[in-house]
Amino acid sequence: SAQIADLQQKLLDADNGDRAKQRWDSIATILEAKCALKYLLGELVSSKVQESKLQSGLQQSQASCSDVQKMLMEERNHIAEMEAEFQNQILVQEQQHQEKVNHSSWKFG
């Protein structure tokens, strides 16, 4: 039944396409041509408005993406700074520990 419904929908779509073509082919008067032109201009305006909205949305998305990338870079830099500081602290503690060990062995040696 799903296949039948799909085929029926395809037939309706094809029929509608044929009807639209027949309508355009059957324009015979200036009044019909004016109506068709008015319809086409309305569709053009609608398409331009939709394009403008989509373009605006794209620009907003690009700006948001840029902001997120900037924040990510700042966080990576911050993490790198923290890692360097941590490594420096480890080195200082190792040196202090080594000095204590050397001092203790020299004192007790």
Side-chain angles (χ1 to χ4, degrees):
S1 65
Q3 288 177 337
I4 291 171
D6 186 44
L7 288 173
Q8 287 174 336
Q9 186 60 46
K10 286 180 182 178
L11 285 174
L12 285 173
D13 291 343
D15 190 38
N16 287 337
D18 288 342
R19 283 187 196 159
K21 186 178 183 316
Q22 287 173 355
R23 276 191 211 134
W24 292 111
D25 289 343
S26 66
I27 292 176
T29 67
I30 296 294
L31 181 60
E32 289 175 343
K34 284 182 180 179
C35 289
L37 188 57
K38 183 178 179 181
Y39 170 77
L40 288 174
L41 288 174
E43 289 296 306
L44 176 63
V45 168
S46 176
S47 295
K48 289 289 186 179
V49 167
Q50 185 66 23
E51 178 191 18
S52 178
K53 287 179 182 178
L54 290 172
Q55 189 68 31
S56 176
L58 175 63
Q59 289 172 349
Q60 289 176 355
S61 294
Q62 287 174 332
S64 295
C65 181
S66 179
D67 290 345
V68 169
Q69 287 177 333
K70 182 180 176 184
M71 286 179 10
L72 178 62
M73 187 59 70
E74 289 172 355
E75 287 300 316
R76 285 180 176 165
N77 289 340
H78 181 68
I79 288 171
E81 290 171 4
M82 289 174 58
E83 286 178 349
E85 184 179 327
F86 179 69
Q87 291 297 327
N88 190 38
Q89 288 176 357
I90 289 174
L91 183 61
V92 167
Q93 288 179 357
E94 286 176 348
Q95 287 174 348
Q96 289 174 349
H97 176 72
Q98 191 62 39
E99 288 174 6
K100 285 180 183 177
V101 168
N102 288 344
H103 183 68
S104 295
S105 64
W106 187 67
K107 187 176 181 181
F108 295 112

